[in-house]
Amino acid sequence: MRAVVLWLLLRASLSMVLMVLSGLLPNPIAIIVICTIVGIVDIRRRRETMLWHNLGVSTTQLASLFLLTAVTGEMLLALTLL
């Protein structure tokens, strides 16, 4: 759920900032990369890395969770805007 909320907030805030500054929409690839990086930084900031490793979830799997959520969101958004 955290990945979905992160993608929604990141997409909305970047879209608003770029629309005001340049009148353009953000690049979906950039949104996906930023969402993945911010998700991993958030997990490390909350010091949850050891918890996830104890549960058998690697950092790569956590990154792919944020990545797949952002990719799914961007794909759904692209389909609805067509």
Side-chain angles (χ1 to χ4, degrees), residues 23-79:
L24 300 173
L25 291 175
N27 185 359
I29 302 296
I31 296 289
I32 292 168
V33 170
I34 293 170
C35 188
T36 303
I37 292 169
V38 170
I40 294 301
V41 167
D42 182 50
I43 287 175
R44 290 188 179 181
R45 183 188 61 84
R46 293 177 190 236
R47 299 177 192 251
E48 293 177 349
T49 309
M50 189 60 71
L51 169 71
W52 288 109
H53 287 306
N54 285 339
L55 294 172
V57 180
S58 69
T59 305
T60 306
Q61 291 171 328
L62 289 171
S64 66
L65 175 71
F66 286 103
L67 178 89
L68 291 174
T69 303
V71 167
T72 304
E74 290 295 328
M75 287 175 64
L76 289 173
L77 186 63
L79 288 173

